[in-house]
Amino acid sequence: MKNQNAKSRGLLTFTNVVASLLVVSSLSAQQTELAKVLASDGAADDRFGQMVAISGDTAIVGAHFDDNLPGGADSGAAYIYVRSGGTWIEQAKLVASDATTGDQFGISVSIDGDTVIVGAYGEDFAGGFEQGAAYVF
């Protein structure tokens, strides 16, 4: 499934926000908020919610400016949420195994069933500056 960036897919629409993600119903012309999810360790300028995707009852939310350890500033993260009844529960925080400053892991996210792919366009490897990488989980 492609990124959901304020576009409708099926019965849910994700609305972009900087600090949180709102899940709203698109069953009628009136939009009804169903849930708001936040990163359990969210901080200013993480850019949580800029990239989101959903597959069934599982969603992935990118936070490409997250400062995680040992990765460093703007190394990035992606968060997995699972819907249980009407509640979205954070299940995991994903980070790159080789995270470094400026990787921006989570700049793009996609999910299909139980497989996710997360982009990190600032990833440097093999001597190349910002060659980028995609990580499959």
Side-chain angles (χ1 to χ4, degrees), residues 39-42 46 48 60-80 90-109 116-120 123 133-137:
S40 59
D41 62 349
D46 281 353
F48 178 89
I60 183 170
V61 181
H64 63 280
F65 282 167
D66 182 69
D67 303 333
N68 65 70
L69 297 176
D74 300 340
S75 54
Y79 297 80
I80 302 292
E90 184 180 316
Q91 293 294 306
K93 177 181 180 179
L94 306 177
V95 296
S97 58
D98 57 352
T100 59
T101 298
D103 284 353
Q104 295 191 35
F105 178 92
I107 190 72
S108 58
V109 297
V116 299
I117 188 165
V118 181
E123 167 66 14
Y135 298 78
V136 179
F137 296 85

Side-chain angles (χ1 to χ4, degrees), residues 3-4 9 13 19 29 36 52 57 66 76 78 82 94 98 100 104 108 130:
N3 289 339
Q4 300 302 299
R9 282 272 190 194
T13 300
K36 177 180 179 177
V52 298
D57 289 330
D66 182 69
V82 175
L94 306 177
D98 57 352
T100 59
Q104 295 191 35
S108 58
E130 293 187 350

Side-chain angles (χ1 to χ4, degrees), residues 7-14 23-24 26 34 54 83 88:
K7 294 184 180 179
S8 178
R9 282 272 190 194
L11 299 178
L12 296 178
T13 300
F14 278 155
V23 183
V24 296
S26 62
L34 300 177
I54 189 170
R83 180 174 42 195
W88 288 86

